[in-house]
Amino acid sequence: MKPDLSGLSELEINLATRVSVGDALTRSARMFGERAAVVDRGDSVTYRDLDAAAESVGRALLDAGLERQQPVAMLMGNSWQFLSTYFGCAKAGLVAMPVNLVLAPEDIVWILRDSGTTTIVTDAAFVPLIEKILPALDAVTIVVVSGEGAPAEIAGRPVLSWTEIASRAVDRPLEVLVDDRDTAQCLYTSGTTSRPKGVLTSHTSLMVGGLTNALMQGAGWGSEPTVLLNVLPLFHTTGLNTLVMPTLFIGGTVVLPGPFDPGAVLDAIEAQRVTTVMMLPIMYAAALAAQGQRARDLSSVQLAIYAMAPMPATLLAQVDAAFPNASVILGSGQTEVVPATVLQWPEHRATKPDSWGPAVPTVEVGIMSDGELEATGEEGEIVYRGPHVCSGYWNNADANTAAFAHGWFHSGDVGYLDAEQVVWFTDRLKDIIKSGGENVSSVEVERIVAAVPGVVECSVVGLPDERWGEAVTAVVVASDRSVSDAELEAAVIAYAKANLAGFKVPKRVLVVDELPKTATGKARKHELRATLRA
Amino acid sequence: MKPDLSGLSELEINLATRVSVGDALTRSARMFGERAAVVDRGDSVTYRDLDAAAESVGRALLDAGLERQQPVAMLMGNSWQFLSTYFGCAKAGLVAMPVNLVLAPEDIVWILRDSGTTTIVTDAAFVPLIEKILPALDAVTIVVVSGEGAPAEIAGRPVLSWTEIASRAVDRPLEVLVDDRDTAQCLYTSGTTSRPKGVLTSHTSLMVGGLTNALMQGAGWGSEPTVLLNVLPLFHTTGLNTLVMPTLFIGGTVVLPGPFDPGAVLDAIEAQRVTTVMMLPIMYAAALAAQGQRARDLSSVQLAIYAMAPMPATLLAQVDAAFPNASVILGSGQTEVVPATVLQWPEHRATKPDSWGPAVPTVEVGIMSDGELEATGEEGEIVYRGPHVCSGYWNNADANTAAFAHGWFHSGDVGYLDAEQVVWFTDRLKDIIKSGGENVSSVEVERIVAAVPGVVECSVVGLPDERWGEAVTAVVVASDRSVSDAELEAAVIAYAKANLAGFKVPKRVLVVDELPKTATGKARKHELRATLRA
C-alpha cells in the first residue's frame, strides 16, 4: 500500500514528511527564536541567529557550486560557527564532514583526498595548517575562513569570509530535496590499518539517535530547557551526536566554554545553571581537584555523563558527591552506533559498575561468533542492530562487507551479555586502542616503533588507565642488550613524537625478552594484555 | 556520499540499519522478556509471549500467501491478541489495518473493498458481523478468528484459529525486507464526503512519532517502567499510536481494562500502580464521579493526558486535585499527524488553558492561506510538517494533492499562532465534526436528515460540548409549520438512528425559520456555529 502522489511535486511531499537534521534547527528556531542556542565562551547566540546563519551558509555553499550529497570538510574548533556550518550543510542537502584536528597533517590530507571534498570551511587559527596542506589538495577549490585576519587567498585559491556569507540576507527559506537516508554527516575514524574510514550517517540515523539520547537524558522540553555544558571536541561523535544535537533538537542551550580548563568548566556550570554535563573520567578528576580548591554551586546539574570507559569506584563516588542533584551515568557507543548502551539504572550502577549497562531502546545488542548469535554468558564479538546504526563506510566496500555481515553491525569489541542483558566488555577484537577519546591504530604505532634503531620487534596494546581510559603501551624487544631499557624507552618516545600525532605516542614503553606469539608468528595480544594487566 | 554495499545482500544491510516497528517489539522482548507487556482484563502477558505470538502470526500470514505491503484487516477489540497481530504484520512487512468497530457494516464493507484486503483477523464476538459482510467481499479469502467458538467456515471461507497460528513453534526469527518508508499501518478516517480515507503511515513515522510521544510523556525507561492505562479503542490513532506504541517501544506495561467503566478504571489504576492515563474529558468526569463514591489510591499516576478538546476549567481543576502527583496535559493531533501539539508547560496551562499548546519538537506548525504562510496572530488553515506526518491516503490521488499542497500537510482545522507559537483552534475548515473521539461527516448526516419528511433543508454542525467535545447538531427548516418543533425533532432523531451509526446521530435538533446562506446558496456554517454558540 503506497499512496498515489502523482498530483504533487517531489519537493512538496518531501518537505511535508521528510526526516532532515536541517529541519530540526528550523523547528527549534521557530519555537524558541529568542532563546540562547549556544553560549560560546560567554557570548549568547540565539536560535534565530544560529538558524539564519545556517540558512545563509547553506545557500552560499550551493551558490558556490556544491551539489547534493557532496562533502564539506570542516576544520573548525568548538564554536557557534561550527554548528551553523553543520546545520547549513544539512539544510542544503550537503554532507557535513568535521575533521579531527589532532590528526597529523598527512592524515588530514589523506581524509580530504579520500572524501573527494572540494570545500574546506575553517577558522582563521587554522590558516597556517591549510596553507601547509592545500598544495597537496588539487580538488579543493573553495576555502571559507571564519574569524579575523584571513588572507585573500591561500595557495592560489580565493578565500571566502564565513562572516560575510553567514550574514547574507536571504529572501526565502532554503528548501531543497533531502531524502531520509541521504548522508548528513561523515566522520573519519581510525581503522585497524593506518587508513581512517569515513563513517556515513543519515538524517534518519541522526534523528532517531538524537531522540533516543534526549529520552535517555530525560531532556527538558519547554519552559525548563536542558542547559548542556560541552567540553568535548565537536568533530567527535560523542560531543556532536550524543550531546549537542539532541539538545538543539529540543530547544536547549549548548554552553561551549572553550579549551578544557577545569576551573572554567566549574565557573560555567555555576554561571549558566548547567543541567547536563558530559566529561571523560580524567576531566572529572581535574574538575574535582579544582572544586576542592574553590567550591562552586553545582546544584543545577541533573545529569553527569561519563564516557569511553567505566570510572574507578573512588572517582565515581567523588563525582556522585560533587554533583548532589545529578544522576551519574555511563554512555558507550562508537562513531558507527551512537548511543549504543547506557549504565544508568540505579540497580546496575550499584551492582555492575564495571559493565557498560544494557542497550538503549532503539538498539538490539547481540554477541556473535562465526556468524551465529551466542547464548547468554558466552563471549564473542559485540554486534548491534537498529535504526540509528550508520549507513556504512565511504569508498570502502570491503569494510562494509565485514562490518555488516550476517545482518548485524560488528563493533570490533569482544564481550558478553549477562542474564539481565547487560553488556560486559572484555577485549578489543580489532587492533584499536581507545585513548583519551581518540582511536589509535596499534598497527600504525607499531610501524613507527619498529623503525627505532635498537628495536627488533614490538607489539602495541592498550592497557586500562585512569587518565586515558586505555594507555597506548609499546612492548619492545631490544636488538642489543647493552643498551639500557631507559635509553631504549627514551629513543622510542622521541622517535614516536617526531613521527606521530601526540595522542598516538606511547604513554609507556616496556622492554621484554620476547613477545608471546601464535603458531604463525603473530603476537598474541590477548595474552600480552592479560599478562601486563596482572 | 553513499556507501558501497555491493558485498552485502540487501537483507543484511536492511536488518542491521532499518527502521521497523516489528523490530521495536523484538528489542523490548530481548531486554524485558519476563516483564508484563500487557495486562489484559487482569491477565498478564509477558513481552516474551507477546513477541513469540507476533512472530508466529506474522509467519502464518506469509505462509497463507500474503505478500509484502498487503493489508491485513483487523476487526478486533482491545486485547493482547490485537497487539500481537499488529506487530506480527509489522514483522512480516504487511500493513496492519485496524478497522473502526463502531462504523455501520456498509462502511466497513466499503473500507475492506477500497483497501483490497484479502485477509480479516477478528474476534469470535464479531463472527455475526463477519457472516453478514463476507458475502459482499469476494476478495477476502483468509479469515482468522481469535477466541472460543469460531465456526469452521464463514460464507464458504475456511476459518483459521488465531490461537493455533499464534502458538505454532518457529525455529528462527522472522527476518524479511522492510523498508523505512514501507507502510506499516492503515487507519481509515472520515472525510468531508461519506467516503472514508485510508491514512498510510510508515515505519519511520511510527518510530519518530513514538519516540516523540515517549519524550513528551517523560516515559520511564528501565527499572521504573511506564504503566499505561489505555481505555481508548486500539483502532484509533490516539490509543494505538500516542499511548500504546511508545509504551511498548520502551518496555512499559499496557493495562487494558476492557470496555470503559469508570469504577473498573479506578480499580485498575490502584491495582496496577498505573503511571500514565489518557482519557477523554467525558471519561474523566465519569471517573471523578466514581472516585467520589469510593476513593481509590491514585497517587501512582504521574501523567494524566486528555485529548480531542480543551477541558472545562472546573473539570480540569477537579482532575488536578484527584491525581495529586500527576501533570495533567492536553494532547492534540489527528490520524495523519500524531502527536501534533501538547498543552503541557505550566505557564501555558495557567494562562492559555483553552489553547492547544505548541507543536511537539518533531513537528513544525504553520498557518496557511492561499498557499502562503500567515504572520503571527493571523487566522488561516493549520498546517504541519515533520518526519512523522503520514505518507498519504490510499487510492486517493486527489486527496493527496489537496492535503500536501505547497509542501505542508493541511489539517482541515482553522486557527492562529500567538507570539509564543501556541496554537489556537478556531474553526473546522472541512465539514467534519469531532464527537467523542470519532470523526463525523456533516455531509453524510445532512443527506440523511434532509430525507426526513417535513424537513425542507438542513445544516449539520458541531457545537462545543463538555461530554462529546463537539456535539453533532442538526439545524433544520420545516416544510410545514403545523408540525411542532418537538415532533420534527423526534422524527429526525428516529430516522437518523435507523440510518446512521450511533455516534453520527444528532445530539440536538434545532428548528429555525431559515439558514444563513452564501450568495451561491451554500449554508454559512461559520456564521451558524457562531450564532448557536452565542
Side-chain angles (χ1 to χ4, degrees), chain B residues 506-526:
Chain B
K507 301 290 179 292
R508 278 179 268 174
V509 180
L510 299 170
V511 184
V512 298
D513 290 333
E514 60 176 346
L515 293 171
K517 297 263 184 67
T518 65
T520 56
K522 213 176 151 194
R524 297 173 69 94
K525 291 203 171 179
H526 187 87

Side-chain angles (χ1 to χ4, degrees), chain A residues 496-515:
Chain A
K497 281 187 175 169
N499 290 279
L500 287 169
F503 67 93
K504 300 177 182 174
V505 173
K507 301 290 178 292
R508 277 180 268 174
V509 179
L510 300 170
V511 183
V512 297
D513 289 334
E514 60 177 344
L515 294 171

Side-chain angles (χ1 to χ4, degrees), chain B residues 179-452:
Chain B
D179 276 356
D180 299 353
R181 286 288 180 176
D182 274 359
T183 300
Q185 170 183 299
C186 176
L187 295 181
Y188 275 78
T189 181
S190 296
T192 48
T193 71
S194 62
R195 291 292 174 236
K197 296 199 293 285
V199 179
L200 304 177
T201 308
S202 68
H203 290 270
T204 292
S205 171
L206 294 170
M207 178 61 55
V208 173
L211 289 174
T212 299
N213 270 312
L215 188 64
M216 295 295 92
Q217 294 165 16
W221 159 248
S223 48
E224 293 173 359
T226 292
V227 180
L228 165 75
L229 181 90
N230 179 63
V231 294
L232 303 176
L234 290 177
F235 55 74
H236 260 192
T237 192
T238 311
L240 181 61
N241 300 131
T242 308
L243 299 169
V244 169
M245 305 270 293
T247 301
L248 294 176
F249 285 180
I250 57 159
T253 298
V254 175
V255 179
L256 300 174
F260 181 74
D261 172 88
V265 163
L266 297 174
D267 291 342
I269 291 172
E270 187 176 61
Q272 303 291 338
R273 303 296 297 158
V274 164
T275 63
T276 307
V277 61
M278 183 174 201
M279 294 194 282
L280 307 183
I282 55 174
M283 293 173 167
Y284 278 108
L288 290 178
Q291 177 75 348
Q293 302 200 330
R294 182 164 64 81
R296 282 77 159 186
D297 176 6
L298 307 181
S299 64
S300 59
V301 178
Q302 295 160 25
L303 189 70
I305 316 176
Y306 57 106
M308 310 304 168
M311 193 155 14
T314 51
L315 179 56
L316 191 52
Q318 290 166 351
V319 174
D320 276 333
F323 296 95
N325 298 324
S327 302
V328 183
I329 72 174
L330 167 65
S332 298
Q334 56 196 107
T335 306
E336 296 89 338
V337 189
V338 54
T341 60
V342 283
L343 177 61
Q344 176 169 33
W345 306 346
E347 67 274 31
H348 292 160
R349 267 287 314 271
T351 62
K352 302 178 177 182
D354 296 328
S355 77
W356 281 3
V360 299
T362 44
V363 166
E364 186 179 359
V365 62
I367 302 297
M368 186 166 271
S369 299
D370 300 323
E372 297 290 334
L373 290 178
E374 294 281 6
T376 298
E378 294 295 317
E379 199 175 69
E381 185 172 11
I382 301 171
V383 292
Y384 301 110
R385 270 183 180 176
H388 66 263
V389 169
C390 73
S391 307
Y393 301 106
W394 169 246
N395 191 25
N396 202 332
D398 289 347
N400 291 327
T401 304
F404 295 101
H406 315 294
W408 293 82
F409 174 76
H410 294 253
S411 69
D413 292 324
V414 175
Y416 62 93
L417 289 170
D418 68 19
E420 290 187 302
Q421 301 296 311
V422 166
V423 178
W424 293 81
F425 167 80
T426 55
D427 198 10
R428 196 88 55 204
L429 186 68
K430 298 171 190 166
D431 222 353
I432 289 290
I433 300 162
K434 295 195 180 177
S435 179
E438 299 287 345
N439 280 0
V440 178
S441 161
S442 301
V443 176
E444 182 188 5
V445 181
E446 284 166 0
R447 207 164 47 223
I448 297 299
V449 173
V452 175

Side-chain angles (χ1 to χ4, degrees), chain A residues 6-30:
Chain A
S6 55
L8 296 161
S9 72
E10 191 182 359
L11 185 59
E12 276 177 313
I13 191 71
N14 183 253
L15 288 171
T17 66
R18 72 189 179 190
V19 185
S20 156
V21 169
D23 291 348
L25 182 62
T26 307
R27 288 191 289 267
S28 292
R30 273 290 289 269

